[in-house]
Amino acid sequence: MAFQYVLDQFVSLFVGGLVFGSVYALIALGYTMVYGVLQLINFAHSEVFMFGTFATVWALWLVGADATTAGVALVASLAVAMLIAMITSGGVALLLERVAYRPLLNRGAPRLIALISAIGASFVLSELMGLRGALASALGVDDVLGRYVARSRENLGLPTDRTFTVQFEVLGYGVTNKDIIIVLAALLMMIAADQFIRRTRLGRGIRAVAQDPESASLMGVNSTRVIQLTFLIGGLLAGAAATLYMLQVGLTRYNAGFLLGVKAFTAAVLGGIGNLRGALVGGLVLGVAESLGSGLFGSEWRHVVAFVLLVVILLFRPTGLLGESLGKARA
Amino acid sequence: MSDVLLEIRDLSVNYGHIEAIRDITFEVPQGSIVTLIGANGAGKSTTLKTISGLRKVRAGSIVYDGQDLAKVSPDKRVQIGISQAPEGRGIFPGMTVRENLEMGAYVRRDRSASALAPDFERVLTLFPRLDERIKQVAGTLSGGEQQMLAIGRALMARPRLLLLDEPSMGLAPMLIKQIFTIIEEINEQGTTVLLVEQNAAQALKLAHYAYLLETGEIVRSGTGAELANDPSVRAAYLGGDI
């Protein structure tokens, strides 16, 4: 019986859900923060994440990590990879703001126009990655770039060893070091982001723009800087999520951002869009629900469970689980 | 330093395709209280927003302390001493009273707790109610308290020129009197005040000099008392008597 299976495997499914949910939550923060200050859904955020997954793999190649790398060397390589992924995703997010949104918003374009621009930017970024081989050969640099541009429309795998050791058992399920690293790293990043928004001067500037952009201007807050900062933070978190995702899944491709993006956006809405802590709650709830749901109905129902959950929760709580927006979030 | 702190010359501002203000000229002397009165939609708020840099100048100039503001960004304007308490208060509803006040000092170079302490003390002495509510979330304050917070927040920037947009809006008469007394006190402490008001009776009592704005143009000017005694002003804005 499926139900019996879920009971037997409950801890395994639950931990698996938490791990995926942490990744969703990290990406969801980027959606929710940009929405908070601009009331704009940055649909290209999924590609910001996707660039991070590639940066992770390429960084590991660059530092020479492979399946034989182990111990301290492996941890150090992954840390470097995460840092490079964060910088890459942060850079892509900044570029996106500069090229796809700022020119429009400065001219007073309606948010709907920016939304179309976001969808367009998403396709462009995804295809840029998918066509990098063709681009490189057109520029005559494909020999130089070698494996970095080879088979650019196919899956790219994490080069390091992905067998993980069990650290401790909970009711018969072995929690691995990977599970612990992913959940802990995601939580730490989110706490750091939350504290930055709440405690620092720049964070207060972000909240001021989210709550009342005109008043924020009157206080001397430079809204362009605040918007840039918001994209940057969202990008850094998406880059970190990308490395954690690669640890968990091991594979990426040029269009890998799409599904993750939709899921993370769902998590943001589920928790209450514009609400930082909502993104965390939404991500974890979504991850656990779809994991348990796939145990109950079969893994092909995974996405169905996720979206049915979204619809049901929004029926009863239209503003999401935590409701309040970033604008009204308390200090 | 000239004794005119703010000088508006032939200023025109569009709102979309509509001309919100047309060719207005006025000045605010150092240390004075100047008021712009007029009906809803006369262009008073647009004038203040333009001074703060939130609206684009179509023609004319704004000169502050001898400096043309045409190329000065809104955040720089706060830095050089122009601070505004906006219409409808515009407080940050999700922040505490303290955080709102700290937002007022956002552009100041020295923002350490010790540097802000005298400013907190000044504001909380002017508005003891804010002291009582210092940890409260600003969205839960009453209308009068929010107005006090908006003015207090503007003072945290240590402005030389304080722009006040309709501080009496939506307040009970008792509270209006109290707010206006405090504005006078702020002025006596050395801050120049440009006050925009629909409540002409109160504003004219307080102001050293006043301008009447009608559909985007200045139609009368004089000392507060002169305008208060002007028959047409009395008829249109003061309900016949004060």
Side-chain angles (χ1 to χ4, degrees), chain A residues 217-258:
Chain A
S217 269
L218 289 177
M219 299 303 113
V221 180
N222 182 330
S223 59
T224 306
R225 290 275 169 283
V226 161
I227 291 166
Q228 278 181 322
L229 181 66
T230 308
F231 272 84
L232 177 66
I233 296 172
L236 292 175
L237 295 172
T243 302
L244 300 178
Y245 171 87
M246 289 306 285
L247 264 184
Q248 171 72 6
V249 177
L251 285 177
T252 185
R253 57 192 279 136
Y254 72 100
N255 57 4
F258 178 73

Short mmCIF file of all heavy atoms in Angstrom, two decimals, chain A residues 217-258:
data_model
loop_
_atom_site.label_atom_id
_atom_site.label_comp_id
_atom_site.label_asym_id
_atom_site.label_seq_id
_atom_site.Cartn_x
_atom_site.Cartn_y
_atom_site.Cartn_z
N SER A 217 12.58 58.17 -1.08
CA SER A 217 13.33 59.18 -1.83
C SER A 217 13.49 60.45 -1.02
O SER A 217 14.55 61.08 -1.02
CB SER A 217 12.60 59.55 -3.12
OG SER A 217 13.03 58.73 -4.16
N LEU A 218 12.41 60.83 -0.32
CA LEU A 218 12.47 62.06 0.48
C LEU A 218 13.46 61.93 1.63
O LEU A 218 13.96 62.93 2.15
CB LEU A 218 11.08 62.40 1.03
CG LEU A 218 10.07 62.91 0.01
CD1 LEU A 218 8.73 63.15 0.66
CD2 LEU A 218 10.58 64.18 -0.66
N MET A 219 13.74 60.70 2.07
CA MET A 219 14.72 60.49 3.13
C MET A 219 16.13 60.44 2.55
O MET A 219 17.10 60.24 3.26
CB MET A 219 14.46 59.18 3.88
CG MET A 219 13.12 59.08 4.57
SD MET A 219 12.87 60.43 5.73
CE MET A 219 11.55 61.31 4.96
N GLY A 220 16.22 60.54 1.22
CA GLY A 220 17.53 60.50 0.60
C GLY A 220 17.99 59.10 0.22
O GLY A 220 19.16 58.88 -0.04
N VAL A 221 17.06 58.14 0.20
CA VAL A 221 17.43 56.80 -0.25
C VAL A 221 17.52 56.82 -1.77
O VAL A 221 16.60 57.28 -2.43
CB VAL A 221 16.37 55.76 0.19
CG1 VAL A 221 16.77 54.37 -0.28
CG2 VAL A 221 16.20 55.78 1.69
N ASN A 222 18.65 56.34 -2.29
CA ASN A 222 18.84 56.29 -3.74
C ASN A 222 18.19 55.00 -4.24
O ASN A 222 18.72 53.91 -4.05
CB ASN A 222 20.33 56.31 -4.04
CG ASN A 222 20.60 56.31 -5.52
OD1 ASN A 222 19.83 55.77 -6.31
ND2 ASN A 222 21.71 56.91 -5.90
N SER A 223 17.01 55.11 -4.87
CA SER A 223 16.24 53.90 -5.16
C SER A 223 16.94 53.02 -6.20
O SER A 223 16.82 51.80 -6.15
CB SER A 223 14.82 54.24 -5.59
OG SER A 223 14.86 55.06 -6.74
N THR A 224 17.70 53.62 -7.12
CA THR A 224 18.42 52.80 -8.09
C THR A 224 19.41 51.87 -7.39
O THR A 224 19.50 50.68 -7.67
CB THR A 224 19.19 53.70 -9.08
OG1 THR A 224 18.25 54.62 -9.65
CG2 THR A 224 19.81 52.89 -10.18
N ARG A 225 20.14 52.44 -6.40
CA ARG A 225 21.10 51.63 -5.64
C ARG A 225 20.38 50.52 -4.88
O ARG A 225 20.85 49.39 -4.82
CB ARG A 225 21.84 52.50 -4.63
CG ARG A 225 22.81 53.47 -5.23
CD ARG A 225 24.17 52.85 -5.49
NE ARG A 225 24.98 53.73 -6.31
CZ ARG A 225 24.81 53.89 -7.62
NH1 ARG A 225 23.90 53.18 -8.27
NH2 ARG A 225 25.54 54.73 -8.29
N VAL A 226 19.24 50.86 -4.30
CA VAL A 226 18.50 49.87 -3.52
C VAL A 226 18.03 48.73 -4.41
O VAL A 226 18.12 47.55 -4.06
CB VAL A 226 17.30 50.54 -2.80
CG1 VAL A 226 16.27 49.51 -2.37
CG2 VAL A 226 17.79 51.32 -1.60
N ILE A 227 17.55 49.08 -5.61
CA ILE A 227 17.08 48.05 -6.54
C ILE A 227 18.24 47.16 -6.96
O ILE A 227 18.14 45.93 -6.96
CB ILE A 227 16.39 48.71 -7.75
CG1 ILE A 227 15.07 49.35 -7.30
CG2 ILE A 227 16.14 47.69 -8.86
CD1 ILE A 227 14.47 50.30 -8.30
N GLN A 228 19.38 47.78 -7.26
CA GLN A 228 20.58 47.00 -7.62
C GLN A 228 20.95 46.04 -6.50
O GLN A 228 21.23 44.86 -6.73
CB GLN A 228 21.76 47.93 -7.86
CG GLN A 228 21.80 48.53 -9.23
CD GLN A 228 23.02 49.43 -9.40
OE1 GLN A 228 23.41 50.14 -8.47
NE2 GLN A 228 23.61 49.40 -10.57
N LEU A 229 20.95 46.57 -5.29
CA LEU A 229 21.34 45.77 -4.13
C LEU A 229 20.40 44.58 -3.97
O LEU A 229 20.82 43.46 -3.67
CB LEU A 229 21.30 46.66 -2.88
CG LEU A 229 21.71 46.01 -1.58
CD1 LEU A 229 23.18 45.63 -1.60
CD2 LEU A 229 21.44 46.95 -0.40
N THR A 230 19.11 44.82 -4.21
CA THR A 230 18.12 43.76 -4.08
C THR A 230 18.38 42.65 -5.11
O THR A 230 18.34 41.46 -4.78
CB THR A 230 16.72 44.34 -4.29
OG1 THR A 230 16.58 45.47 -3.43
CG2 THR A 230 15.65 43.33 -3.98
N PHE A 231 18.65 43.04 -6.35
CA PHE A 231 18.96 42.05 -7.37
C PHE A 231 20.24 41.30 -7.00
O PHE A 231 20.32 40.08 -7.16
CB PHE A 231 19.13 42.73 -8.74
CG PHE A 231 17.83 42.86 -9.49
CD1 PHE A 231 16.99 43.92 -9.26
CD2 PHE A 231 17.45 41.91 -10.43
CE1 PHE A 231 15.79 44.04 -9.95
CE2 PHE A 231 16.26 42.01 -11.12
CZ PHE A 231 15.42 43.09 -10.88
N LEU A 232 21.23 42.03 -6.48
CA LEU A 232 22.50 41.40 -6.13
C LEU A 232 22.31 40.35 -5.04
O LEU A 232 22.79 39.22 -5.16
CB LEU A 232 23.51 42.46 -5.67
CG LEU A 232 24.86 41.91 -5.21
CD1 LEU A 232 25.61 41.27 -6.37
CD2 LEU A 232 25.72 42.99 -4.57
N ILE A 233 21.58 40.70 -3.98
CA ILE A 233 21.37 39.74 -2.89
C ILE A 233 20.63 38.51 -3.42
O ILE A 233 21.00 37.37 -3.14
CB ILE A 233 20.59 40.39 -1.73
CG1 ILE A 233 21.42 41.52 -1.11
CG2 ILE A 233 20.25 39.35 -0.67
CD1 ILE A 233 20.66 42.33 -0.09
N GLY A 234 19.57 38.75 -4.21
CA GLY A 234 18.82 37.64 -4.78
C GLY A 234 19.72 36.75 -5.63
O GLY A 234 19.65 35.52 -5.55
N GLY A 235 20.61 37.36 -6.41
CA GLY A 235 21.52 36.60 -7.26
C GLY A 235 22.52 35.79 -6.44
O GLY A 235 22.77 34.61 -6.73
N LEU A 236 23.08 36.41 -5.40
CA LEU A 236 24.05 35.69 -4.55
C LEU A 236 23.40 34.45 -3.94
O LEU A 236 23.98 33.36 -3.92
CB LEU A 236 24.56 36.61 -3.44
CG LEU A 236 25.44 37.80 -3.85
CD1 LEU A 236 25.75 38.68 -2.65
CD2 LEU A 236 26.74 37.32 -4.49
N LEU A 237 22.16 34.62 -3.45
CA LEU A 237 21.47 33.49 -2.83
C LEU A 237 21.15 32.41 -3.86
O LEU A 237 21.27 31.21 -3.58
CB LEU A 237 20.19 33.96 -2.13
CG LEU A 237 20.39 34.90 -0.94
CD1 LEU A 237 19.06 35.45 -0.46
CD2 LEU A 237 21.11 34.19 0.19
N ALA A 238 20.77 32.82 -5.07
CA ALA A 238 20.47 31.84 -6.13
C ALA A 238 21.73 31.08 -6.51
O ALA A 238 21.68 29.88 -6.79
CB ALA A 238 19.87 32.54 -7.35
N GLY A 239 22.89 31.78 -6.50
CA GLY A 239 24.15 31.11 -6.81
C GLY A 239 24.50 30.06 -5.75
O GLY A 239 24.93 28.96 -6.07
N ALA A 240 24.27 30.41 -4.49
CA ALA A 240 24.51 29.44 -3.41
C ALA A 240 23.56 28.26 -3.57
O ALA A 240 23.96 27.09 -3.45
CB ALA A 240 24.30 30.11 -2.05
N ALA A 241 22.30 28.56 -3.90
CA ALA A 241 21.31 27.50 -4.11
C ALA A 241 21.76 26.58 -5.24
O ALA A 241 21.56 25.36 -5.18
CB ALA A 241 19.94 28.11 -4.43
N ALA A 242 22.38 27.17 -6.27
CA ALA A 242 22.80 26.39 -7.43
C ALA A 242 23.84 25.33 -7.04
O ALA A 242 23.74 24.17 -7.45
CB ALA A 242 23.37 27.31 -8.51
N THR A 243 24.82 25.72 -6.22
CA THR A 243 25.83 24.74 -5.80
C THR A 243 25.18 23.64 -4.94
O THR A 243 25.47 22.46 -5.11
CB THR A 243 26.96 25.44 -5.01
OG1 THR A 243 27.53 26.44 -5.86
CG2 THR A 243 28.02 24.46 -4.59
N LEU A 244 24.28 24.04 -4.04
CA LEU A 244 23.62 23.05 -3.19
C LEU A 244 22.77 22.10 -4.05
O LEU A 244 22.73 20.89 -3.82
CB LEU A 244 22.74 23.75 -2.15
CG LEU A 244 23.48 24.69 -1.19
CD1 LEU A 244 22.51 25.37 -0.24
CD2 LEU A 244 24.56 23.93 -0.41
N TYR A 245 22.12 22.66 -5.05
CA TYR A 245 21.30 21.86 -5.96
C TYR A 245 22.17 20.85 -6.70
O TYR A 245 21.80 19.68 -6.86
CB TYR A 245 20.59 22.80 -6.94
CG TYR A 245 19.88 22.12 -8.09
CD1 TYR A 245 18.56 21.67 -7.95
CD2 TYR A 245 20.51 21.96 -9.32
CE1 TYR A 245 17.91 21.06 -9.01
CE2 TYR A 245 19.86 21.36 -10.39
CZ TYR A 245 18.56 20.90 -10.23
OH TYR A 245 17.92 20.30 -11.27
N MET A 246 23.35 21.29 -7.14
CA MET A 246 24.24 20.37 -7.86
C MET A 246 24.72 19.25 -6.95
O MET A 246 24.91 18.13 -7.40
CB MET A 246 25.44 21.13 -8.45
CG MET A 246 25.10 22.03 -9.62
SD MET A 246 24.23 21.16 -10.95
CE MET A 246 25.57 20.21 -11.68
N LEU A 247 24.92 19.56 -5.67
CA LEU A 247 25.28 18.51 -4.72
C LEU A 247 24.17 17.47 -4.64
O LEU A 247 24.41 16.26 -4.59
CB LEU A 247 25.48 19.12 -3.33
CG LEU A 247 26.88 19.49 -2.88
CD1 LEU A 247 26.82 19.98 -1.44
CD2 LEU A 247 27.80 18.28 -2.98
N GLN A 248 22.94 17.95 -4.62
CA GLN A 248 21.80 17.07 -4.44
C GLN A 248 21.47 16.30 -5.71
O GLN A 248 21.26 15.10 -5.69
CB GLN A 248 20.58 17.90 -3.99
CG GLN A 248 19.26 17.16 -3.96
CD GLN A 248 19.19 16.17 -2.81
OE1 GLN A 248 20.08 16.10 -1.97
NE2 GLN A 248 18.13 15.38 -2.77
N VAL A 249 21.41 17.00 -6.84
CA VAL A 249 20.92 16.40 -8.09
C VAL A 249 22.07 15.91 -8.97
O VAL A 249 21.95 14.88 -9.63
CB VAL A 249 20.03 17.41 -8.85
CG1 VAL A 249 19.59 16.84 -10.18
CG2 VAL A 249 18.84 17.78 -8.00
N GLY A 250 23.17 16.68 -9.00
CA GLY A 250 24.35 16.24 -9.75
C GLY A 250 24.36 16.60 -11.21
O GLY A 250 25.37 16.48 -11.88
N LEU A 251 23.23 17.04 -11.76
CA LEU A 251 23.15 17.34 -13.19
C LEU A 251 22.51 18.70 -13.43
O LEU A 251 21.64 19.12 -12.68
CB LEU A 251 22.26 16.31 -13.91
CG LEU A 251 22.81 14.91 -14.16
CD1 LEU A 251 21.72 14.07 -14.81
CD2 LEU A 251 24.05 14.97 -15.03
N THR A 252 22.95 19.35 -14.51
CA THR A 252 22.25 20.57 -14.93
C THR A 252 22.23 20.62 -16.44
O THR A 252 22.91 19.82 -17.10
CB THR A 252 22.92 21.85 -14.37
OG1 THR A 252 22.12 22.97 -14.73
CG2 THR A 252 24.32 22.03 -14.93
N ARG A 253 21.42 21.51 -17.00
CA ARG A 253 21.45 21.78 -18.43
C ARG A 253 20.94 23.19 -18.66
O ARG A 253 20.48 23.84 -17.71
CB ARG A 253 20.67 20.75 -19.24
CG ARG A 253 19.22 20.61 -18.84
CD ARG A 253 18.59 19.39 -19.47
NE ARG A 253 18.18 19.66 -20.85
CZ ARG A 253 18.41 18.81 -21.85
NH1 ARG A 253 19.06 17.68 -21.63
NH2 ARG A 253 17.96 19.08 -23.05
N TYR A 254 21.01 23.64 -19.93
CA TYR A 254 20.73 25.06 -20.18
C TYR A 254 19.32 25.47 -19.79
O TYR A 254 19.07 26.64 -19.53
CB TYR A 254 21.02 25.39 -21.64
CG TYR A 254 20.01 24.83 -22.61
CD1 TYR A 254 19.00 25.63 -23.12
CD2 TYR A 254 20.05 23.49 -22.99
CE1 TYR A 254 18.05 25.11 -24.00
CE2 TYR A 254 19.12 22.97 -23.86
CZ TYR A 254 18.12 23.77 -24.37
OH TYR A 254 17.18 23.27 -25.22
N ASN A 255 18.38 24.50 -19.78
CA ASN A 255 17.01 24.87 -19.43
C ASN A 255 16.61 24.34 -18.05
O ASN A 255 15.43 24.24 -17.74
CB ASN A 255 16.03 24.40 -20.50
CG ASN A 255 16.12 22.90 -20.74
OD1 ASN A 255 16.87 22.21 -20.03
ND2 ASN A 255 15.41 22.42 -21.72
N ALA A 256 17.61 24.04 -17.22
CA ALA A 256 17.31 23.47 -15.91
C ALA A 256 16.66 24.49 -14.98
O ALA A 256 16.05 24.14 -13.98
CB ALA A 256 18.59 22.94 -15.26
N GLY A 257 16.80 25.78 -15.32
CA GLY A 257 16.26 26.79 -14.44
C GLY A 257 14.74 26.81 -14.41
O GLY A 257 14.13 27.14 -13.40
N PHE A 258 14.13 26.44 -15.54
CA PHE A 258 12.70 26.65 -15.67
C PHE A 258 11.89 26.02 -14.53
O PHE A 258 11.16 26.70 -13.81
CB PHE A 258 12.20 26.11 -17.02
CG PHE A 258 10.72 26.27 -17.18
CD1 PHE A 258 10.16 27.52 -17.41
CD2 PHE A 258 9.88 25.17 -17.06
CE1 PHE A 258 8.79 27.68 -17.52
CE2 PHE A 258 8.49 25.32 -17.16
CZ PHE A 258 7.95 26.58 -17.40
#
